Amino acid sequence: MKILSKEVLASDKGARIVKVIVQSPDIAAKAKAGQFVVLMVKEEGERIPLTIVKADPSKGSIELIAQEAGLTTRLLAATKTGDSLYSITGPLGHPTDIKRYGKVILVGGGVGIAEILPVAKALKDAGNNVTAIIGSRNKELLILERELKTASDECIVITDDGSYGRKGFVTQALKELLESSKYDLVYAVGPIPMMKTVSVITKPLGVLTLVSLNAIMVDGTGMCGCCRVSVNNEVKFSCVDGPEFDASQIDWDELSKRNSIYCEKEKHICRI
Amino acid sequence: MKKEPIRPKEKDIIPRVKGFDEVVQGFSEQEALQEAARCIQCKDPKCIAGCPVGIDIKAFINQITKKDHDGAYFTICQKNNFPSICGRICPAEYQCRKACVFTNKRSPFASKEAINIHFLERFVGDNGARKGLQAKAEGNNKYSGMKVAVVGSGPAGLCCAGELAKRGIKAVIFEGLHKTGGVLRYGIPPFRLPNNILDLEIDSLKKLGVEIKTNYIIGRVKTIDELFAEGFRAIFLGLGAGVPSFIGIPGENLCNIYSANEFLTRVNLMRAHKFPEYHTPVNIGKHIIVIGGGNTAIDAARVALRLQHMNGIEQDTSISYRRTEAEMPARRLEIEHAREEGVKFDLLVKPESFVGDEKGFVRKMRSSRCKLAEQNNSGRRRPIVIPDSSFEADCDLAIIAIGSGANKILTSVTPRLAIDQYGNVTINPETMETSIKGVFAGGDITAGEGTVIEAMGMAKKASCAILNYLEKRYN
């Protein structure tokens, strides 16, 4: 659980996106694209889920990328090379179903770019034609552009404020692509409003659309149901039944409300 | 002539609901001696058969009367490595005490006069733990060096590992969470089983040579075949029944509706009641409803009530149950404690739906009244909804405690492992062996939700079966 290295990938007005490489041979040996870990930074800390961005079985390490959004991610960002995490468990969740779909689009928003990277690599290796659309608020917060360009046949970069690449939202670019050509799969990770918009765009077109959900989790092993989501009107646990689901079947409104359960408490602990 | 039973002292209600200190204080030596003296040392003691692991109750009580408390400890440890745990949480009124000669034959559970065997066991266990007494390994060299993997560090896994270690086998426990104990840690609150007691009992297992690996999920990190390939000669599955059941009524996914597992895990394991010192949050309501009638429901209600007290909220926590108190599976003592502490009981009530506000938080629970059907052959009387009896209650936090099912993380990646329609692992009840040779199972993963001591009983049986298996295969 030793941190082998830490690097700040992006920083804007004090909000940073960091990459940590953690020694974890057992997880590295088994991790597949789409899976995640649950970690605790300190003994008094909480358990948070993070996607495994890269696993290196030969070095026995895994790579995690997190954006400072609350206390735990700030604590993670404050760690130094050589520090140890209190606990890390994984790999959790179902791996992405990697096969030859044909033409696929991957959409990553914000730190979600890190989460589409392993899937993009795996899909490209499986012989798919991969288009990546990556977007962030501004130039400062854009991460992994070079990596996504390597992992895709085409990579479209977008910023909300136009400070880099195209100006606008990733969903606009997605809409244009889908209007101009036929695609076989859309895979999206990012903030809930973004994933919901993706779903709104793709549903009438009937394009298979997978999203990796970011519900609140505790154990991450199916024991508590904190991460439950309604998928096609059935209750599913994101941690064991997901985290990927068919976007067209998700009750986005419910997910978005459930993700705000602890807003007050999070604000409180972040002020301390 | 038998004297009045001795009841251990309990922490006063007002201070105890403001924290998580243990409620039952346990016998002093004087009290233990008095209670032990009530035992008439039956020629043919029935209590022993009432204990799922067959502790020689008659013998250890006799040792207490002679003030041989250490001897009593070793007597218990021949059958049970965890006297301090079992003495606290066994539903003795359905087990050893129900079989006690002082229990009225017609009583559905132990009579008040039955010897307080569990409190005596606890006294002996705590004395042993305090003195660092250690169950002795029997040292059968035939097996030394052989490794057995134990999956899960709950009651079944701990018990199986302990039994194997006593016979010189290297038991390695794999636990998915960051802390050991399974339901003893995340489920049962510290006011029933303090963490230091649990730690002491687990430490004594480690002294026996048991190795524990936490953050290690079998089925994800390692498969069963890989464990065998690493040299484990047999595997015991004590995965438990950790997956919470939901009722399946409208509004159940509203914010502030918790499974009991989640609510208790946040508090017991993650210490959310100490937020922000500990970083895991938990919400608290003004009107809390817990649905269910088992020990989990009572635990959740008592935890909820304490959170209300600790946060200066006027207490309003109620248990909503479909049947009457007589049918509640919870321990009588816990029901009594919950009631003393101020938990309200709303009986013969069936929840129909939850109603939320615009932000998605629960505000009301709609329910119907029930009556009980006539007794039939199937056992418990079935609740029947009374037509037009629907009513609404204020509810801004609900906890669902209606039972749990099998976790499928391991079984879903192990198709050779036979499971039943509920996802529980199928075993041969005689040999405790699963459909895979050398893989044994016990506890809740084999039979839905049971008691801690039942899980330990099954694990003990499985440990004997594992020894037999090793004997036949490797002798």
Side-chain angles (χ1 to χ4, degrees):
Chain A
M1 293 176 229
K2 205 165 116 181
I3 294 175
L4 300 174
S5 76
K6 193 198 81 177
E7 186 188 333
V8 177
L9 296 182
S11 178
D12 180 42
K13 299 181 189 81
R16 295 180 298 171
I17 298 176
V18 295
K19 172 170 111 180
V20 287
I21 295 178
V22 185
Q23 187 167 46
S24 196
D26 291 325
I27 300 176
K30 284 297 168 73
K32 292 198 173 68
Q35 291 188 302
F36 65 95
V37 295
V38 166
L39 64 82
M40 291 170 77
V41 180
K42 305 168 81 169
E43 187 170 5
E44 65 272 28
E46 60 180 336
R47 295 168 66 93
I48 61 157
L50 281 179
T51 297
I52 302 167
V53 178
K54 189 176 158 191
D56 189 337
S58 65
K59 292 202 180 96
S61 65
I62 56 168
E63 184 179 308
L64 307 171
I65 292 179
Q67 178 160 22
E68 286 181 298
L71 178 66
T72 302
T73 42
R74 272 193 351 224
L75 289 172
L76 182 66
T79 56
K80 296 183 286 293
T81 300
D83 287 353
S84 274
L85 297 175
Y86 174 73
S87 87
I88 183 163
T89 316
L92 299 170
H94 276 291
T96 310
D97 185 14
I98 300 295
K99 58 184 181 190
R100 195 158 178 161
Y101 293 90
K103 284 175 77 180
V104 303
I105 305 177
L106 292 110
V107 189
V111 78
I113 298 170
E115 301 179 32
I116 64 166
L117 178 60
V119 179
K121 280 183 187 163
L123 285 172
K124 187 149 196 284
D125 289 347
N128 293 282
N129 177 283
V130 174
T131 301
I133 307 173
I134 58 173
S136 61
R137 221 160 47 221
N138 55 34
K139 188 183 178 196
E140 283 69 33
L141 285 173
L142 186 76
I143 54 167
L144 304 174
E145 183 190 359
R146 189 172 45 82
E147 287 81 352
L148 260 305
K149 281 192 165 146
T150 311
S152 60
D153 297 281
E154 190 193 354
C155 183
I156 302 166
V157 180
I158 299 179
T159 51
D160 294 3
D161 63 357
S163 53
Y164 187 69
R166 263 182 65 175
K167 183 179 185 333
F169 298 114
V170 285
T171 46
Q172 289 164 346
L174 172 70
K175 199 159 185 254
E176 287 164 25
L177 283 181
L178 291 172
E179 278 164 358
S180 67
S181 180
K182 193 186 165 299
Y183 287 87
D184 305 290
L185 171 72
V186 172
Y187 185 96
V189 188
I192 292 174
M194 179 213 110
M195 291 193 283
K196 186 183 171 181
T197 309
V198 167
S199 160
V200 168
I201 293 168
T202 60
K203 198 171 177 174
L205 300 170
V207 188
L208 173 61
T209 304
L210 297 176
V211 285
S212 181
L213 298 185
N214 49 357
I216 302 177
M217 289 185 190
V218 185
D219 61 284
T221 62
M223 263 179 43
C224 82
C226 175
C227 65
R228 63 194 190 270
V229 285
S230 295
V231 181
N232 204 11
N233 294 316
E234 267 183 66
V235 174
K236 299 279 180 193
F237 292 1
S238 301
C239 67
V240 287
D241 301 319
E244 285 169 21
F245 294 103
D246 183 336
S248 67
Q249 301 185 335
I250 288 163
D251 184 338
W252 291 104
D253 191 36
E254 180 187 280
L255 175 65
S256 149
K257 283 173 176 164
R258 282 192 65 82
N259 270 20
S260 70
I261 291 179
Y262 299 109
C263 271
E264 290 303 312
K265 290 223 155 59
E266 279 161 13
K267 273 185 220 151
H268 175 67
I269 200 165
C270 281
R271 276 196 302 264
I272 294 172
Chain B
M1 196 196 117
K2 68 190 181 210
K3 299 188 184 67
E4 271 296 293
I6 308 292
R7 267 195 76 147
K9 288 186 184 57
E10 291 176 359
K11 201 172 154 91
D12 286 341
I13 295 160
I14 291 166
R16 86 183 188 216
V17 292
K18 291 178 179 159
F20 284 78
D21 291 349
E22 191 170 22
V23 170
V24 178
Q25 299 299 294
F27 281 151
S28 64
E29 187 187 16
Q30 193 53 38
E31 288 168 332
L33 288 170
Q34 282 178 36
E35 184 63 13
R38 289 176 58 238
C39 173
I40 57 168
Q41 295 284 309
C42 301
K43 226 175 225 140
D44 176 23
K46 299 280 190 279
C47 52
I48 298 175
C51 170
V53 295
I55 293 172
D56 191 343
I57 294 166
K58 177 179 168 176
F60 96 73
I61 292 184
N62 189 38
Q63 284 166 306
I64 296 176
T65 60
K66 294 182 178 137
K67 295 196 182 180
D68 178 12
H69 306 317
D70 296 2
Y73 182 83
F74 292 118
T75 300
I76 295 175
C77 283
Q78 281 173 12
K79 298 287 183 178
N80 179 4
N81 282 319
F82 311 100
S84 289
I85 295 173
C86 293
R88 283 174 170 80
I89 60 176
C90 272
E93 70 263 34
Y94 299 114
Q95 296 172 332
C96 54
R97 295 188 64 227
K98 186 170 186 241
C100 173
V101 69
F102 292 154
T103 286
N104 185 319
K105 290 274 179 299
R106 288 187 305 274
S107 170
F109 35 79
S111 303
K112 187 167 73 79
E113 290 75 20
I115 305 296
N116 280 312
I117 299 164
H118 55 317
F119 292 137
L120 290 171
E121 182 187 17
R122 170 182 162 162
F123 167 78
V124 170
D126 287 3
N127 174 67
R130 212 169 22 245
K131 285 191 174 167
L133 301 182
Q134 183 63 47
K136 300 250 182 337
E138 284 166 21
N140 187 337
N141 290 329
K142 201 155 58 175
Y143 303 117
S144 67
M146 284 199 188
K147 286 197 302 180
V148 171
V150 172
V151 184
S153 73
L158 291 177
C159 178
C160 183
E163 292 297 317
L164 293 172
K166 273 202 256 181
R167 280 151 194 90
I169 290 172
K170 175 76 187 168
V172 182
I173 300 182
F174 297 93
E175 165 59 45
L177 285 170
H178 59 282
K179 285 204 165 152
T180 51
V183 73
L184 302 170
R185 181 86 59 184
Y186 71 75
I188 296 172
F191 53 78
R192 285 218 283 142
L193 177 62
N195 277 311
N196 63 328
I197 298 288
L198 181 55
D199 291 339
L200 276 173
E201 298 269 51
I202 293 174
D203 281 348
S204 89
L205 266 197
K206 289 181 190 161
K207 285 186 202 147
L208 270 175
V210 173
E211 190 185 336
I212 306 182
K213 290 179 188 271
T214 51
N215 296 307
Y216 212 108
I217 301 179
I218 300 301
R220 294 283 191 210
V221 168
K222 290 276 158 67
T223 63
I224 285 193
D225 290 336
E226 285 168 322
L227 288 177
F228 279 127
E230 281 178 18
F232 288 101
R233 300 287 176 93
I235 299 171
F236 173 77
L237 305 178
L239 309 169
V243 179
S245 302
F246 286 92
I247 317 171
I249 57 175
E252 207 172 4
N253 291 348
L254 286 165
C255 300
N256 283 0
I257 300 183
Y258 290 89
S259 72
N261 268 14
E262 182 188 348
F263 187 75
L264 290 171
T265 298
R266 282 181 181 273
V267 179
N268 297 340
L269 179 70
M270 305 307 295
R271 311 197 169 191
H273 57 294
K274 291 193 173 173
F275 183 91
E277 183 194 338
Y278 284 78
H279 307 163
T280 303
V282 69
N283 283 345
I284 305 149
K286 290 190 169 72
H287 311 286
I288 301 178
I289 298 179
V290 182
I291 294 152
N295 283 317
T296 311
I298 304 279
D299 284 342
R302 294 174 70 195
V303 167
L305 189 93
R306 280 163 171 74
L307 293 182
Q308 288 182 321
H309 273 283
M310 292 161 79
N311 286 277
I313 298 168
E314 197 180 333
Q315 62 180 61
D316 179 17
T317 295
S318 55
I319 282 186
S320 178
Y321 182 54
R322 295 186 302 160
R323 296 184 169 91
T324 72
E325 188 176 320
E327 287 84 22
M328 279 190 158
R331 288 174 74 199
R332 299 296 112 180
L333 182 70
E334 310 309 329
I335 297 174
E336 203 180 298
H337 283 156
R339 182 167 278 129
E340 283 170 10
E341 288 167 3
V343 173
K344 292 178 259 188
F345 288 78
D346 207 359
L347 301 169
L348 290 166
V349 165
K350 181 172 183 276
E352 306 280 5
S353 66
F354 292 101
V355 184
D357 60 20
E358 68 288 346
K359 285 185 172 164
F361 282 77
V362 64
R363 288 290 164 227
K364 305 256 184 210
M365 184 172 93
R366 294 194 67 82
S367 313
S368 287
R369 302 266 174 219
C370 298
K371 61 181 179 187
L372 287 186
E374 291 308 310
Q375 183 85 44
N376 64 12
N377 298 333
S378 76
R380 286 203 298 180
R381 296 173 67 190
R382 201 165 46 83
I384 302 170
V385 170
I386 301 168
D388 303 320
S389 64
S390 171
F391 68 100
E392 224 171 50
D394 286 342
C395 168
D396 55 6
L397 194 136
I399 302 167
I400 316 288
I402 59 164
S404 56
N407 194 316
K408 297 182 181 66
I409 284 190
L410 178 62
T411 54
S412 67
V413 297
T414 321
R416 289 186 296 136
L417 189 62
I419 51 174
D420 66 14
Q421 56 180 321
Y422 306 106
N424 292 316
V425 173
T426 312
I427 50 166
N428 174 337
E430 295 307 312
T431 63
M432 308 300 282
E433 201 169 12
T434 67
S435 58
I436 302 178
K437 202 164 179 50
V439 179
F440 300 77
D444 285 357
I445 189 61
T446 61
E449 199 168 22
T451 57
V452 166
I453 189 66
E454 188 185 64
M456 287 185 175
M458 290 172 85
K460 209 177 159 75
K461 197 170 161 188
S463 71
C464 296
I466 291 171
L467 285 168
N468 271 334
Y469 169 82
L470 296 177
E471 174 83 38
K472 277 192 197 128
R473 185 147 183 188
Y474 295 103
N475 201 4

